[in-house]
Amino acid sequence: MSGVPPDSTPVPANASTAEHPAPPHKASTSSHPPASDPDPTLTSNHHASQRGQPATGAAAAAELSSLTLRLKSSLRQFPDFPSPGILFEDIMPLFADPQLHEDLIRALVLHVSQNYEKPDVVVGLDARGFLFGPSLALRLGAGFAPVRKQGKLPGPCETASYDKEYGSDFFQMQADAIKPGRKVLVVDDIIATGGSAAAAGSLVKKLGGTLLGYVFILELDFLKGRDKLDAPVYTLLHGQE
Amino acid sequence: MSGVPPDSTPVPANASTAEHPAPPHKASTSSHPPASDPDPTLTSNHHASQRGQPATGAAAAAELSSLTLRLKSSLRQFPDFPSPGILFEDIMPLFADPQLHEDLIRALVLHVSQNYEKPDVVVGLDARGFLFGPSLALRLGAGFAPVRKQGKLPGPCETASYDKEYGSDFFQMQADAIKPGRKVLVVDDIIATGGSAAAAGSLVKKLGGTLLGYVFILELDFLKGRDKLDAPVYTLLHGQE
């Protein structure tokens, strides 16, 4: 159940590496609303979220659907990494291309704006949760606070353990990272077994935060990690069903 | 010389923890240009860099100066962390407050737009370079690629070693992360001895990239880390001179 380090994306290799067509940026751009307003992919939601004006439900759902298709086709799979039998999902292509990167943040903002109260703090897990948690926080006008392995953060810290393949490991947050009653969203790149996300959520609660929910880029559904989490879970993409 | 792990910020403790006044957000906002254009802190440079129109030199210098004052006063110092005799510089307050976070990214964009050719790729070091490298890349319209410890990245990788207190450690980049001839900026939170940044720069060159330079949030000047780097170095803030 917990035989999976949180910083890898391990899965029994049940498929050979699929071919992924190049993401159809040019073509897909035409599915965006016409440019009578500033390009919404770049700016409109940024402005909207600053003003507390999320996009309307139907338009947002259509845009989110188009964005997720494009993002999903850009993930890469590497069999037998980091060890034999594991099919590793590589999210780095989403950051390598500025348009995909913009699409990723836009999709996450769309979802959060539609489905959660505005968070006060976005909490991201070391290290890949750092890749988009701060960008998402900026767009939402929220603070960002890190969860790190024990011994990395200075000053008074709260600690929580999580299970690893052999024994446990410890996560920490700075004790003043979340003021009591603040609304918090926990984000990470991938939910596998859910152990590290559960530990992060427990830290948020220990600090007195109100846990709005969890947001992940990718879920490995068959590992049922969300069963470990006691707040709403949203994942943008689903892998290896 | 190399007695310093790259993921901490170690310094002989030569000062007790200074008191830091609360950042003067409200007052400093008045130093921004008048609001005939959209708030430049939020959007104008984003648009400008998209259009290749950086702010004019004098206005940018004045704004950058105001931003750095505010950012510097928000750092926190923790003596004897992670070990006795080390004064740790904590950059997390810059991410905890959405306005400071915005100021940070704005300051970095201003500097890069004024002083470098537009980069094709921003390369960030694991893990604290992930906190702002992707946001900076988004604003610059550049891709983002990570440097990670050996064994974390899937697929063909290039490897470089760097010295640690006892022995060496290894950094990797994915072999296709930088196309030959692409212009690259390497970013990390703090430059201490410079060993890890030098290793990242060497990886960029091994992959055929053109290294425009290095950008750090904070420099510990007396450690002379920049002497190890053979491309232009910019640091937003200076600590413990």
Side-chain angles (χ1 to χ4, degrees), chain A residues 37-38 43-55 109 113 118 138-141, chain B residues 37-39 42-43 47:
Chain A
D37 284 340
T43 60
S44 79
N45 197 75
H46 180 68
H47 291 176
S49 66
Q50 292 286 335
R51 296 185 201 128
Q53 298 166 354
V109 166
S113 309
K118 182 184 173 306
L138 270 180
R139 297 289 175 97
L140 295 170
Chain B
D37 283 340
D39 179 354
L42 293 174
T43 60
H47 292 173

mmCIF file of all heavy atoms in Angstrom, chain A residues 37-38 43-55 109 113 118 138-141, chain B residues 37-39 42-43 47:
data_model
loop_
_atom_site.group_PDB
_atom_site.id
_atom_site.type_symbol
_atom_site.label_atom_id
_atom_site.label_comp_id
_atom_site.label_asym_id
_atom_site.label_seq_id
_atom_site.Cartn_x
_atom_site.Cartn_y
_atom_site.Cartn_z
ATOM 1 N N ASP A 37 -11.506 40.406 -26.237
ATOM 2 C CA ASP A 37 -10.845 40.696 -24.963
ATOM 3 C C ASP A 37 -9.372 40.323 -25.102
ATOM 4 O O ASP A 37 -9.001 39.637 -26.052
ATOM 5 C CB ASP A 37 -11.475 39.861 -23.837
ATOM 6 C CG ASP A 37 -12.823 40.426 -23.426
ATOM 7 O OD1 ASP A 37 -13.072 41.617 -23.717
ATOM 8 O OD2 ASP A 37 -13.597 39.666 -22.844
ATOM 9 N N PRO A 38 -8.524 40.713 -24.132
ATOM 10 C CA PRO A 38 -7.152 40.215 -24.152
ATOM 11 C C PRO A 38 -7.147 38.690 -24.127
ATOM 12 O O PRO A 38 -8.073 38.088 -23.564
ATOM 13 C CB PRO A 38 -6.557 40.783 -22.858
ATOM 14 C CG PRO A 38 -7.412 41.941 -22.493
ATOM 15 C CD PRO A 38 -8.781 41.632 -23.036
ATOM 16 N N THR A 43 -4.192 36.261 -19.769
ATOM 17 C CA THR A 43 -4.460 37.293 -18.771
ATOM 18 C C THR A 43 -5.865 37.324 -18.191
ATOM 19 O O THR A 43 -6.026 37.738 -17.060
ATOM 20 C CB THR A 43 -4.228 38.689 -19.385
ATOM 21 O OG1 THR A 43 -5.125 38.829 -20.486
ATOM 22 C CG2 THR A 43 -2.822 38.848 -19.850
ATOM 23 N N SER A 44 -6.881 36.899 -18.918
ATOM 24 C CA SER A 44 -8.208 37.277 -18.435
ATOM 25 C C SER A 44 -8.540 36.642 -17.108
ATOM 26 O O SER A 44 -9.117 37.273 -16.249
ATOM 27 C CB SER A 44 -9.287 36.949 -19.465
ATOM 28 O OG SER A 44 -9.607 35.587 -19.434
ATOM 29 N N ASN A 45 -8.138 35.366 -16.913
ATOM 30 C CA ASN A 45 -8.478 34.773 -15.635
ATOM 31 C C ASN A 45 -7.652 35.357 -14.507
ATOM 32 O O ASN A 45 -8.100 35.426 -13.373
ATOM 33 C CB ASN A 45 -8.290 33.259 -15.681
ATOM 34 C CG ASN A 45 -9.020 32.616 -14.535
ATOM 35 O OD1 ASN A 45 -10.223 32.533 -14.583
ATOM 36 N ND2 ASN A 45 -8.305 32.222 -13.490
ATOM 37 N N HIS A 46 -6.433 35.756 -14.872
ATOM 38 C CA HIS A 46 -5.602 36.439 -13.885
ATOM 39 C C HIS A 46 -6.344 37.666 -13.376
ATOM 40 O O HIS A 46 -6.517 37.857 -12.181
ATOM 41 C CB HIS A 46 -4.284 36.833 -14.551
ATOM 42 C CG HIS A 46 -3.336 37.530 -13.649
ATOM 43 N ND1 HIS A 46 -2.726 36.892 -12.598
ATOM 44 C CD2 HIS A 46 -2.903 38.805 -13.632
ATOM 45 C CE1 HIS A 46 -1.939 37.740 -11.971
ATOM 46 N NE2 HIS A 46 -2.028 38.908 -12.574
ATOM 47 N N HIS A 47 -6.847 38.445 -14.301
ATOM 48 C CA HIS A 47 -7.595 39.634 -13.910
ATOM 49 C C HIS A 47 -8.876 39.241 -13.189
ATOM 50 O O HIS A 47 -9.217 39.811 -12.169
ATOM 51 C CB HIS A 47 -7.940 40.477 -15.140
ATOM 52 C CG HIS A 47 -6.723 41.103 -15.744
ATOM 53 N ND1 HIS A 47 -6.762 41.824 -16.892
ATOM 54 C CD2 HIS A 47 -5.433 41.117 -15.337
ATOM 55 C CE1 HIS A 47 -5.537 42.255 -17.186
ATOM 56 N NE2 HIS A 47 -4.727 41.830 -16.248
ATOM 57 N N ALA A 48 -9.568 38.252 -13.754
ATOM 58 C CA ALA A 48 -10.846 37.855 -13.178
ATOM 59 C C ALA A 48 -10.665 37.408 -11.736
ATOM 60 O O ALA A 48 -11.416 37.813 -10.848
ATOM 61 C CB ALA A 48 -11.467 36.728 -13.995
ATOM 62 N N SER A 49 -9.622 36.570 -11.496
ATOM 63 C CA SER A 49 -9.465 36.077 -10.143
ATOM 64 C C SER A 49 -9.042 37.202 -9.204
ATOM 65 O O SER A 49 -9.407 37.210 -8.043
ATOM 66 C CB SER A 49 -8.456 34.931 -10.104
ATOM 67 O OG SER A 49 -7.176 35.383 -10.440
ATOM 68 N N GLN A 50 -8.291 38.184 -9.726
ATOM 69 C CA GLN A 50 -7.938 39.325 -8.882
ATOM 70 C C GLN A 50 -9.199 40.087 -8.493
ATOM 71 O O GLN A 50 -9.300 40.634 -7.410
ATOM 72 C CB GLN A 50 -7.014 40.278 -9.646
ATOM 73 C CG GLN A 50 -5.631 39.718 -9.922
ATOM 74 C CD GLN A 50 -4.762 39.685 -8.677
ATOM 75 O OE1 GLN A 50 -4.981 40.457 -7.762
ATOM 76 N NE2 GLN A 50 -3.788 38.782 -8.633
ATOM 77 N N ARG A 51 -10.151 40.134 -9.396
ATOM 78 C CA ARG A 51 -11.371 40.889 -9.142
ATOM 79 C C ARG A 51 -12.480 40.022 -8.559
ATOM 80 O O ARG A 51 -13.584 40.489 -8.351
ATOM 81 C CB ARG A 51 -11.895 41.485 -10.457
ATOM 82 C CG ARG A 51 -10.974 42.497 -11.090
ATOM 83 C CD ARG A 51 -11.668 43.103 -12.301
ATOM 84 N NE ARG A 51 -10.714 43.689 -13.225
ATOM 85 C CZ ARG A 51 -10.668 43.420 -14.509
ATOM 86 N NH1 ARG A 51 -11.530 42.567 -15.052
ATOM 87 N NH2 ARG A 51 -9.779 43.990 -15.283
ATOM 88 N N GLY A 52 -12.192 38.721 -8.356
ATOM 89 C CA GLY A 52 -13.212 37.838 -7.843
ATOM 90 C C GLY A 52 -14.315 37.561 -8.846
ATOM 91 O O GLY A 52 -15.453 37.370 -8.464
ATOM 92 N N GLN A 53 -13.979 37.555 -10.133
ATOM 93 C CA GLN A 53 -14.982 37.302 -11.165
ATOM 94 C C GLN A 53 -14.615 36.051 -11.953
ATOM 95 O O GLN A 53 -14.031 36.163 -13.025
ATOM 96 C CB GLN A 53 -15.071 38.482 -12.132
ATOM 97 C CG GLN A 53 -15.498 39.787 -11.472
ATOM 98 C CD GLN A 53 -15.254 40.976 -12.373
ATOM 99 O OE1 GLN A 53 -14.676 40.839 -13.441
ATOM 100 N NE2 GLN A 53 -15.667 42.152 -11.942
ATOM 101 N N PRO A 54 -14.897 34.877 -11.425
ATOM 102 C CA PRO A 54 -14.569 33.678 -12.186
ATOM 103 C C PRO A 54 -15.384 33.600 -13.476
ATOM 104 O O PRO A 54 -16.448 34.208 -13.589
ATOM 105 C CB PRO A 54 -14.933 32.538 -11.236
ATOM 106 C CG PRO A 54 -15.857 33.140 -10.225
ATOM 107 C CD PRO A 54 -15.526 34.594 -10.146
ATOM 108 N N ALA A 55 -14.853 32.856 -14.452
ATOM 109 C CA ALA A 55 -15.573 32.675 -15.705
ATOM 110 C C ALA A 55 -16.896 31.965 -15.428
ATOM 111 O O ALA A 55 -17.064 31.297 -14.418
ATOM 112 C CB ALA A 55 -14.714 31.854 -16.663
ATOM 113 N N VAL A 109 -6.386 27.159 -12.275
ATOM 114 C CA VAL A 109 -7.110 28.336 -11.789
ATOM 115 C C VAL A 109 -8.600 28.199 -12.085
ATOM 116 O O VAL A 109 -9.447 28.487 -11.234
ATOM 117 C CB VAL A 109 -6.546 29.623 -12.427
ATOM 118 C CG1 VAL A 109 -7.484 30.789 -12.206
ATOM 119 C CG2 VAL A 109 -5.167 29.943 -11.861
ATOM 120 N N SER A 113 -11.246 28.136 -9.065
ATOM 121 C CA SER A 113 -12.204 29.247 -8.982
ATOM 122 C C SER A 113 -13.642 28.745 -9.011
ATOM 123 O O SER A 113 -14.525 29.334 -8.396
ATOM 124 C CB SER A 113 -12.002 30.207 -10.159
ATOM 125 O OG SER A 113 -10.661 30.594 -10.274
ATOM 126 N N LYS A 118 -12.150 30.822 -2.280
ATOM 127 C CA LYS A 118 -10.813 31.357 -2.544
ATOM 128 C C LYS A 118 -9.877 30.970 -1.393
ATOM 129 O O LYS A 118 -10.137 31.298 -0.248
ATOM 130 C CB LYS A 118 -10.884 32.867 -2.678
ATOM 131 C CG LYS A 118 -9.539 33.511 -2.997
ATOM 132 C CD LYS A 118 -9.637 35.024 -3.037
ATOM 133 C CE LYS A 118 -8.268 35.678 -3.191
ATOM 134 N NZ LYS A 118 -7.279 35.280 -2.188
ATOM 135 N N LEU A 138 0.008 32.769 -6.959
ATOM 136 C CA LEU A 138 0.064 34.135 -7.504
ATOM 137 C C LEU A 138 -1.217 34.471 -8.253
ATOM 138 O O LEU A 138 -1.779 35.558 -8.099
ATOM 139 C CB LEU A 138 1.241 34.265 -8.481
ATOM 140 C CG LEU A 138 2.591 34.695 -7.934
ATOM 141 C CD1 LEU A 138 3.617 34.751 -9.074
ATOM 142 C CD2 LEU A 138 2.509 36.049 -7.235
ATOM 143 N N ARG A 139 -1.674 33.560 -9.084
ATOM 144 C CA ARG A 139 -2.870 33.819 -9.885
ATOM 145 C C ARG A 139 -4.117 33.932 -9.013
ATOM 146 O O ARG A 139 -5.057 34.634 -9.349
ATOM 147 C CB ARG A 139 -3.102 32.707 -10.919
ATOM 148 C CG ARG A 139 -2.019 32.559 -11.942
ATOM 149 C CD ARG A 139 -1.983 33.699 -12.953
ATOM 150 N NE ARG A 139 -0.823 33.521 -13.828
ATOM 151 C CZ ARG A 139 -0.864 32.961 -15.024
ATOM 152 N NH1 ARG A 139 -2.004 32.571 -15.535
ATOM 153 N NH2 ARG A 139 0.249 32.819 -15.730
ATOM 154 N N LEU A 140 -4.120 33.182 -7.909
ATOM 155 C CA LEU A 140 -5.297 33.197 -7.023
ATOM 156 C C LEU A 140 -5.217 34.324 -5.999
ATOM 157 O O LEU A 140 -6.166 34.533 -5.244
ATOM 158 C CB LEU A 140 -5.413 31.855 -6.287
ATOM 159 C CG LEU A 140 -5.680 30.619 -7.148
ATOM 160 C CD1 LEU A 140 -5.528 29.342 -6.318
ATOM 161 C CD2 LEU A 140 -7.074 30.675 -7.776
ATOM 162 N N GLY A 141 -4.074 35.018 -5.965
ATOM 163 C CA GLY A 141 -3.902 36.055 -4.940
ATOM 164 C C GLY A 141 -3.765 35.467 -3.544
ATOM 165 O O GLY A 141 -4.092 36.101 -2.544
ATOM 166 N N ASP B 37 -2.291 53.244 -16.843
ATOM 167 C CA ASP B 37 -2.180 51.911 -17.427
ATOM 168 C C ASP B 37 -2.624 50.905 -16.376
ATOM 169 O O ASP B 37 -2.767 51.241 -15.208
ATOM 170 C CB ASP B 37 -0.727 51.620 -17.811
ATOM 171 C CG ASP B 37 -0.353 52.343 -19.088
ATOM 172 O OD1 ASP B 37 -1.287 52.732 -19.839
ATOM 173 O OD2 ASP B 37 0.839 52.525 -19.314
ATOM 174 N N PRO B 38 -2.842 49.614 -16.779
ATOM 175 C CA PRO B 38 -3.126 48.603 -15.768
ATOM 176 C C PRO B 38 -1.978 48.552 -14.757
ATOM 177 O O PRO B 38 -0.839 48.871 -15.092
ATOM 178 C CB PRO B 38 -3.196 47.309 -16.581
ATOM 179 C CG PRO B 38 -3.495 47.734 -17.980
ATOM 180 C CD PRO B 38 -2.896 49.102 -18.124
ATOM 181 N N ASP B 39 -2.290 48.162 -13.522
ATOM 182 C CA ASP B 39 -1.287 48.075 -12.463
ATOM 183 C C ASP B 39 -0.040 47.349 -12.965
ATOM 184 O O ASP B 39 -0.081 46.171 -13.280
ATOM 185 C CB ASP B 39 -1.898 47.311 -11.277
ATOM 186 C CG ASP B 39 -0.900 47.166 -10.137
ATOM 187 O OD1 ASP B 39 0.267 47.546 -10.305
ATOM 188 O OD2 ASP B 39 -1.317 46.680 -9.073
ATOM 189 N N LEU B 42 1.134 44.038 -11.476
ATOM 190 C CA LEU B 42 0.423 42.810 -11.809
ATOM 191 C C LEU B 42 0.583 42.417 -13.266
ATOM 192 O O LEU B 42 0.723 41.256 -13.572
ATOM 193 C CB LEU B 42 -1.076 42.968 -11.500
ATOM 194 C CG LEU B 42 -1.382 43.101 -10.007
ATOM 195 C CD1 LEU B 42 -2.837 43.402 -9.813
ATOM 196 C CD2 LEU B 42 -0.992 41.815 -9.287
ATOM 197 N N THR B 43 0.539 43.382 -14.143
ATOM 198 C CA THR B 43 0.389 42.961 -15.530
ATOM 199 C C THR B 43 1.298 43.640 -16.554
ATOM 200 O O THR B 43 1.617 43.030 -17.549
ATOM 201 C CB THR B 43 -1.047 43.245 -16.012
ATOM 202 O OG1 THR B 43 -1.274 44.655 -15.899
ATOM 203 C CG2 THR B 43 -2.065 42.494 -15.184
ATOM 204 N N HIS B 47 2.789 41.900 -19.996
ATOM 205 C CA HIS B 47 2.452 42.250 -21.368
ATOM 206 C C HIS B 47 3.666 42.748 -22.118
ATOM 207 O O HIS B 47 3.906 42.386 -23.264
ATOM 208 C CB HIS B 47 1.361 43.330 -21.383
ATOM 209 C CG HIS B 47 0.042 42.823 -20.893
ATOM 210 N ND1 HIS B 47 -1.036 43.622 -20.682
ATOM 211 C CD2 HIS B 47 -0.353 41.568 -20.577
ATOM 212 C CE1 HIS B 47 -2.056 42.893 -20.254
ATOM 213 N NE2 HIS B 47 -1.660 41.655 -20.176
#
